[in-house]
Coordinates of all heavy atoms in Angstrom, one line a residue:
V1 N 42.6 -11.2 8.4 CA 41.7 -11.9 7.6 C 40.3 -11.3 7.9 O 40.0 -10.8 9.0 CB 41.8 -13.3 7.9 CG1 43.1 -13.9 7.4 CG2 41.5 -13.7 9.4
V2 N 39.5 -11.5 6.9 CA 38.0 -11.2 7.0 C 37.3 -12.5 6.6 O 37.1 -12.8 5.4 CB 37.6 -10.1 6.1 CG1 36.1 -9.9 6.3 CG2 38.3 -8.8 6.4
P3 N 37.0 -13.4 7.6 CA 36.4 -14.7 7.4 C 34.9 -14.6 7.2 O 34.2 -14.1 8.1 CB 36.8 -15.6 8.5 CG 37.5 -14.6 9.5 CD 37.2 -13.2 9.0
L4 N 34.4 -15.2 6.1 CA 33.0 -15.1 5.9 C 32.5 -16.5 5.3 O 33.2 -17.0 4.4 CB 32.6 -14.0 5.0 CG 31.2 -13.6 4.8 CD1 31.0 -12.1 4.5 CD2 30.5 -14.4 3.6
N5 N 31.4 -17.0 5.8 CA 30.8 -18.2 5.1 C 29.3 -18.2 4.9 O 28.7 -17.2 5.4 CB 31.2 -19.5 5.9 CG 30.4 -19.7 7.2 OD1 29.5 -19.0 7.5 ND2 30.7 -20.8 7.9
Y6 N 28.8 -19.1 4.1 CA 27.4 -19.1 3.6 C 27.2 -20.5 3.1 O 28.1 -21.3 2.9 CB 27.3 -18.0 2.5 CG 28.5 -17.9 1.7 CD1 28.8 -19.0 0.7 CD2 29.3 -16.9 1.7 CE1 29.9 -18.9 -0.1 CE2 30.5 -16.9 0.8 CZ 30.7 -17.9 0.0 OH 31.8 -17.8 -0.8
R7 N 26.0 -20.7 2.6 CA 25.6 -21.9 2.0 C 26.3 -22.0 0.6 O 26.0 -21.1 -0.2 CB 24.1 -22.1 1.9 CG 23.4 -22.3 3.2 CD 21.9 -22.5 3.1 NE 21.3 -22.7 4.4 CZ 20.8 -21.7 5.2 NH1 21.0 -20.4 4.8 NH2 20.3 -22.0 6.3
G8 N 27.1 -23.0 0.3 CA 27.9 -23.0 -0.9 C 27.4 -23.8 -2.1 O 27.8 -23.6 -3.2
E9 N 26.5 -24.7 -1.8 CA 26.0 -25.6 -2.8 C 24.9 -25.0 -3.6 O 24.2 -24.1 -3.3 CB 25.5 -27.0 -2.2 CG 26.6 -27.7 -1.4 CD 27.6 -28.4 -2.2 OE1 27.5 -28.4 -3.5 OE2 28.6 -29.0 -1.6
A10 N 24.7 -25.6 -4.8 CA 23.5 -25.2 -5.7 C 22.2 -25.6 -5.0 O 22.2 -26.6 -4.2 CB 23.7 -25.8 -7.0
P11 N 21.1 -24.9 -5.3 CA 21.0 -23.7 -6.1 C 21.5 -22.5 -5.4 O 21.4 -22.4 -4.2 CB 19.5 -23.6 -6.4 CG 18.8 -24.2 -5.2 CD 19.8 -25.4 -4.8
V12 N 22.0 -21.6 -6.1 CA 22.6 -20.3 -5.6 C 21.4 -19.3 -5.5 O 20.7 -19.0 -6.5 CB 23.7 -19.7 -6.4 CG1 24.2 -18.5 -5.9 CG2 24.9 -20.8 -6.5
N13 N 21.4 -18.7 -4.3 CA 20.4 -17.6 -4.1 C 21.0 -16.4 -4.6 O 21.8 -15.7 -4.0 CB 20.1 -17.4 -2.6 CG 19.0 -16.5 -2.3 OD1 18.9 -15.4 -2.9 ND2 18.1 -16.8 -1.3
M14 N 20.6 -15.9 -5.8 CA 21.2 -14.8 -6.6 C 21.1 -13.4 -5.8 O 22.1 -12.7 -5.8 CB 20.7 -14.7 -7.9 CG 21.0 -15.9 -8.8 SD 22.7 -16.5 -8.8 CE 23.6 -15.0 -9.4
P15 N 20.0 -13.1 -5.2 CA 19.9 -11.9 -4.5 C 20.9 -11.8 -3.2 O 21.5 -10.9 -3.0 CB 18.5 -11.8 -3.9 CG 17.7 -12.6 -4.9 CD 18.6 -13.7 -5.3
V16 N 21.1 -13.0 -2.6 CA 22.1 -13.1 -1.6 C 23.5 -12.8 -2.1 O 24.3 -12.1 -1.4 CB 22.0 -14.5 -0.9 CG1 23.1 -14.7 0.1 CG2 20.7 -14.5 0.0
V17 N 23.9 -13.4 -3.1 CA 25.3 -13.2 -3.6 C 25.5 -11.9 -4.2 O 26.6 -11.3 -4.1 CB 25.7 -14.4 -4.6 CG1 25.8 -15.8 -3.9 CG2 24.9 -14.4 -5.8
N18 N 24.5 -11.3 -4.8 CA 24.6 -10.0 -5.4 C 24.7 -9.0 -4.2 O 25.5 -8.0 -4.4 CB 23.5 -9.6 -6.3 CG 23.6 -10.2 -7.7 OD1 24.7 -10.1 -8.3 ND2 22.6 -10.8 -8.2
R19 N 24.0 -9.2 -3.2 CA 24.2 -8.3 -2.0 C 25.6 -8.4 -1.4 O 26.2 -7.4 -1.0 CB 23.2 -8.6 -0.9 CG 23.2 -7.6 0.3 CD 22.1 -8.1 1.3 NE 22.1 -7.1 2.4 CZ 21.3 -7.2 3.4 NH1 20.5 -8.3 3.5 NH2 21.3 -6.3 4.4
L20 N 26.1 -9.6 -1.4 CA 27.5 -9.8 -0.9 C 28.5 -9.1 -1.8 O 29.4 -8.5 -1.4 CB 27.8 -11.3 -0.8 CG 29.1 -11.7 -0.2 CD1 29.4 -11.1 1.1 CD2 29.3 -13.2 -0.2
W21 N 28.3 -9.3 -3.1 CA 29.2 -8.6 -4.0 C 29.2 -7.1 -3.9 O 30.2 -6.4 -3.9 CB 28.9 -9.0 -5.5 CG 29.6 -8.2 -6.5 CD1 29.0 -7.4 -7.5 CD2 31.0 -8.1 -6.8 NE1 29.9 -6.8 -8.3 CE2 31.2 -7.2 -7.9 CE3 32.1 -8.7 -6.1 CZ2 32.5 -6.9 -8.3 CZ3 33.4 -8.3 -6.6 CH2 33.5 -7.4 -7.7
K22 N 28.0 -6.5 -3.7 CA 27.9 -5.0 -3.6 C 28.6 -4.6 -2.3 O 29.3 -3.5 -2.4 CB 26.4 -4.8 -3.4 CG 26.1 -3.2 -3.3 CD 24.7 -2.9 -3.2 CE 24.4 -1.4 -3.1 NZ 23.0 -1.1 -2.9
S23 N 28.6 -5.4 -1.3 CA 29.4 -5.0 0.0 C 30.9 -5.2 -0.2 O 31.7 -4.4 0.4 CB 28.8 -5.8 1.1 OG 27.5 -5.4 1.4
L24 N 31.3 -6.3 -0.9 CA 32.7 -6.6 -1.0 C 33.5 -5.8 -2.1 O 34.7 -5.5 -1.9 CB 32.9 -8.1 -1.2 CG 32.5 -9.0 0.0 CD1 32.8 -10.4 -0.4 CD2 33.3 -8.6 1.3
S25 N 32.8 -5.5 -3.2 CA 33.4 -4.9 -4.3 C 34.3 -3.7 -4.0 O 35.3 -3.5 -4.6 CB 32.5 -4.7 -5.4 OG 31.4 -3.8 -5.1
P26 N 33.7 -2.7 -3.2 CA 34.6 -1.5 -3.0 C 35.9 -1.8 -2.3 O 36.9 -1.0 -2.5 CB 33.7 -0.8 -1.9 CG 32.3 -1.2 -2.1 CD 32.5 -2.7 -2.5
Y27 N 36.1 -3.0 -1.7 CA 37.5 -3.3 -1.2 C 38.4 -3.7 -2.2 O 39.6 -3.8 -2.0 CB 37.3 -4.5 -0.1 CG 36.5 -4.0 1.1 CD1 35.1 -4.3 1.2 CD2 37.2 -3.4 2.2 CE1 34.5 -3.9 2.4 CE2 36.5 -3.0 3.3 CZ 35.1 -3.2 3.4 OH 34.5 -2.9 4.5
F28 N 38.0 -3.8 -3.4 CA 38.9 -4.2 -4.5 C 38.9 -3.2 -5.7 O 39.1 -3.5 -6.8 CB 38.5 -5.6 -5.1 CG 38.5 -6.7 -4.0 CD1 37.4 -7.0 -3.2 CD2 39.7 -7.4 -3.7 CE1 37.5 -7.9 -2.2 CE2 39.8 -8.3 -2.7 CZ 38.6 -8.6 -2.0
E29 N 38.7 -2.0 -5.2 CA 38.8 -0.8 -6.2 C 40.0 0.0 -5.7 O 40.3 0.1 -4.6 CB 37.5 0.0 -6.1 CG 36.2 -0.6 -6.6 CD 35.0 0.1 -6.4 OE1 35.1 1.2 -5.6 OE2 33.9 -0.2 -6.9
G30 N 40.6 0.6 -6.7 CA 41.7 1.5 -6.4 C 42.8 0.9 -5.6 O 43.3 -0.1 -5.8
A31 N 43.2 1.7 -4.5 CA 44.2 1.2 -3.6 C 43.8 -0.2 -2.9 O 44.7 -0.9 -2.6 CB 44.5 2.3 -2.6
G32 N 42.6 -0.4 -2.8 CA 42.1 -1.6 -2.2 C 42.6 -2.8 -2.9 O 42.9 -3.9 -2.3
A33 N 42.7 -2.8 -4.2 CA 43.2 -3.9 -5.0 C 44.7 -4.2 -4.8 O 45.1 -5.3 -5.0 CB 43.0 -3.6 -6.5
E34 N 45.4 -3.3 -4.3 CA 46.8 -3.5 -4.0 C 46.9 -4.0 -2.5 O 47.9 -4.6 -2.2 CB 47.6 -2.1 -4.0 CG 47.5 -1.4 -5.3 CD 48.3 -2.2 -6.4 OE1 49.3 -2.8 -6.1 OE2 47.8 -2.1 -7.6
E35 N 45.9 -3.8 -1.6 CA 46.0 -4.2 -0.3 C 45.3 -5.5 0.0 O 45.7 -6.3 0.8 CB 45.4 -3.2 0.6 CG 46.1 -1.8 0.6 CD 45.3 -0.7 1.3 OE1 44.2 -1.0 1.8 OE2 45.7 0.4 1.4
N36 N 44.2 -5.8 -0.7 CA 43.3 -6.9 -0.3 C 43.4 -8.0 -1.4 O 43.8 -7.8 -2.5 CB 41.8 -6.4 -0.3 CG 41.7 -5.3 0.8 OD1 42.3 -5.3 1.8 ND2 40.9 -4.3 0.4
F37 N 43.0 -9.2 -0.9 CA 43.0 -10.4 -1.8 C 41.7 -11.1 -1.5 O 41.4 -11.5 -0.4 CB 44.2 -11.3 -1.6 CG 44.4 -12.3 -2.6 CD1 45.1 -12.1 -3.7 CD2 43.9 -13.6 -2.3 CE1 45.3 -13.1 -4.7 CE2 44.0 -14.7 -3.2 CZ 44.7 -14.4 -4.4
L38 N 41.1 -11.5 -2.6 CA 39.8 -12.3 -2.6 C 40.2 -13.8 -2.6 O 40.6 -14.3 -3.7 CB 38.8 -11.9 -3.7 CG 37.5 -12.6 -3.6 CD1 36.8 -12.2 -2.4 CD2 36.7 -12.2 -4.9
L39 N 40.0 -14.5 -1.5 CA 40.5 -15.9 -1.5 C 39.2 -16.8 -1.4 O 38.4 -16.8 -0.4 CB 41.3 -16.1 -0.2 CG 41.8 -17.5 0.1 CD1 42.5 -18.0 -1.1 CD2 42.8 -17.4 1.3
I40 N 39.1 -17.6 -2.5 CA 37.9 -18.5 -2.6 C 38.4 -19.9 -2.1 O 39.1 -20.5 -2.7 CB 37.4 -18.5 -4.0 CG1 37.1 -17.1 -4.6 CG2 36.1 -19.4 -4.1 CD1 36.2 -16.3 -3.8
S41 N 37.8 -20.3 -1.0 CA 38.1 -21.6 -0.4 C 37.1 -22.6 -1.0 O 35.9 -22.6 -0.7 CB 38.0 -21.5 1.1 OG 38.2 -22.8 1.7
S42 N 37.7 -23.5 -1.8 CA 36.7 -24.4 -2.6 C 37.4 -25.7 -3.0 O 38.6 -25.7 -3.4 CB 36.1 -23.7 -3.8 OG 35.2 -24.4 -4.4
D43 N 36.7 -26.7 -3.1 CA 37.0 -28.0 -3.8 C 35.9 -28.3 -4.8 O 34.8 -27.8 -4.7 CB 37.1 -29.2 -2.7 CG 38.2 -28.9 -1.7 OD1 39.3 -28.7 -2.1 OD2 37.9 -28.9 -0.5
F44 N 36.4 -29.2 -5.7 CA 35.5 -29.4 -7.0 C 35.2 -30.9 -7.1 O 35.7 -31.8 -6.5 CB 36.3 -28.9 -8.1 CG 36.6 -27.4 -8.1 CD1 37.5 -26.9 -7.3 CD2 35.8 -26.6 -9.0 CE1 37.7 -25.5 -7.4 CE2 36.0 -25.2 -9.0 CZ 36.9 -24.6 -8.2

């Protein structure tokens, strides 16, 4: 597992989440998409 947390409630800091996406997105390209799973822990 790769456990990561952050402030989850609104308002969302868009520069913070875009930086996170830039770092995580390569893990879900090509062969990474077959190995890794993006698990969103959330209630509504």
Side-chain angles (χ1 to χ4, degrees):
V1 295
V2 179
L4 191 149
N5 77 1
Y6 39 70
R7 293 180 179 87
E9 301 284 357
V12 176
N13 186 320
M14 298 310 297
V16 167
V17 294
N18 279 316
R19 184 179 183 184
L20 180 57
W21 169 242
K22 182 179 179 181
S23 293
L24 291 182
S25 61
Y27 293 96
F28 299 92
E29 296 174 346
E34 303 290 328
E35 300 172 354
N36 301 318
F37 189 88
L38 184 65
L39 178 52
I40 310 301
S41 175
S42 185
D43 297 305
F44 293 76

